[in-house]
């Protein structure tokens, strides 16, 4: 089945105010930047966004935060975005901060149809407040619920017209789990090829999880913190 759409504007059809979105990315790598720009232009508001990061002020989810289109962030790393910090401290933005491994597993569990799981991460902290606790092998664990979304939006290095995806580098950290957990999953790729052109041994997300796919117009290659050796 050919799942291609023309562009990001066509890919986000059906996304409405108050929906929950999962958006892939790790730091500034693997962010579905064409779809995020389309969401900005469509002015869709009151979104709940599940993402490892909140982008930076002028890139990634930072663009949606600037226009106050996000009502709630569910995230694990937000340290590079001053506007995020301002909105959180002023009470304009609801924030659910989650340990990074727990966030990844909550997305993976959602995609696998597992409603909840026990983890030691967060026990004894604010993360564990109000959650069921059980002891396994002498160690307390808290119950964490799976995460799913109305739409999952991911970015891959290569994909074919049937939705099979290959990610590159750290873009593989969150994108594959989120691709499984959306009711509708949109994939934007750097290179779109015909079926049979991807080595099946290297496919990370099978096409069965993807409903829409397109090749993005352009991609930035940003580095959050560039560190070089002194001369």
């Amino acid at each position: 089945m050919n799942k291609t759409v023309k562009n990001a504007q066509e890919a986000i059809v059906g996304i409405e105010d108050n929906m929950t979105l999962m958006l892939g990315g790790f730091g500034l790598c693997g962010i579905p930047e064409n779809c995020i720009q389309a969401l900005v232009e469509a002015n869709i508001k009151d979104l709940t966004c599940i993402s490892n990061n909140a982008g930076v002020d002028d890139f990634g989810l930072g663009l949606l935060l600037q226009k106050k289109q996000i009502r709630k962030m569910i995230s694990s790393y937000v340290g590079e975005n001053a506007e995020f910090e301002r909105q959180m401290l002023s009470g304009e933005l609801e924030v659910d901060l989650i340990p990074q491994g727990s966030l990844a597993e909550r997305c993976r569990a959602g995609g696998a149809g597992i409603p909840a799981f026990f983890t030691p991460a967060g026990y004894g902290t604010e993360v564990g407040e109000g959650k069921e606790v059980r002891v396994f092998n002498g160690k307390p664990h808290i119950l964490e619920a799976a995460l799913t979304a109305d739409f999952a939006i991911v970015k891959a290095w290569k994909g074919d017209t049937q939705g099979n995806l290959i990610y590159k580098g750290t873009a593989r950290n969150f994108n594959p789990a989120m691709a499984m957990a959306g009711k509708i999953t949109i994939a934007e790729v750097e290179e779109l090829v015909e079926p049979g052109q991807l080595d099946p041994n290297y496919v990370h997300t099978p096409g069965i999880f993807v409903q829409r796919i397109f090749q993005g117009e352009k991609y930035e290659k940003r580095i959050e913190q560039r560190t070089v050796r002194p001369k």
Side-chain angles (χ1 to χ4, degrees), residues 101-150:
S102 296
L103 176 63
E105 181 61 12
R106 288 178 70 179
C107 295
R108 192 203 68 82
I114 299 168
F117 60 92
F118 283 97
T119 175
Y123 173 77
T125 73
E126 290 184 12
V127 172
E129 289 181 0
K131 295 176 180 174
E132 181 180 345
V133 177
R134 290 193 187 181
V135 176
F136 296 92
N137 299 320
K139 193 171 185 179
H141 291 63
I142 60 174
L143 183 65
E144 291 281 14
L147 291 169
T148 58
D150 296 302

Side-chain angles (χ1 to χ4, degrees), residues 36-124:
I36 290 174
Q37 184 59 45
L39 291 169
V40 171
E41 294 168 0
N43 200 31
I44 300 166
K45 295 181 177 177
D46 294 321
L47 295 168
T48 295
C49 290
I50 303 168
S51 177
N52 155 260
N53 65 91
V56 291
D57 288 316
D58 62 344
F59 186 67
L61 290 180
L63 298 175
L64 291 171
L65 286 165
Q66 280 184 359
K67 291 189 65 179
K68 299 182 179 179
Q69 293 172 255
I70 299 176
R71 177 178 55 80
K72 180 177 182 179
M73 277 292 308
I74 300 174
S75 194
S76 59
Y77 177 71
V78 294
E80 303 291 337
N81 191 315
E83 176 61 13
F84 172 93
E85 178 184 10
R86 189 197 66 77
Q87 290 187 21
M88 182 180 73
L89 294 177
S90 67
E92 297 174 37
L93 180 70
E94 295 178 49
V95 178
D96 191 357
L97 282 176
I98 301 173
Q100 190 144 267
S102 296
L103 176 63
E105 181 61 12
R106 288 178 70 179
C107 295
R108 192 203 68 82
I114 299 168
F117 60 92
F118 283 97
T119 175
Y123 173 77

Side-chain angles (χ1 to χ4, degrees), residues 4-22:
T4 57
V5 293
K6 287 191 298 186
N7 49 38
Q9 288 73 26
E10 189 172 308
I12 67 165
V13 169
I15 298 179
E16 301 174 350
D17 295 354
N18 298 300
M19 280 190 167
T20 297
L21 309 181
M22 281 186 180

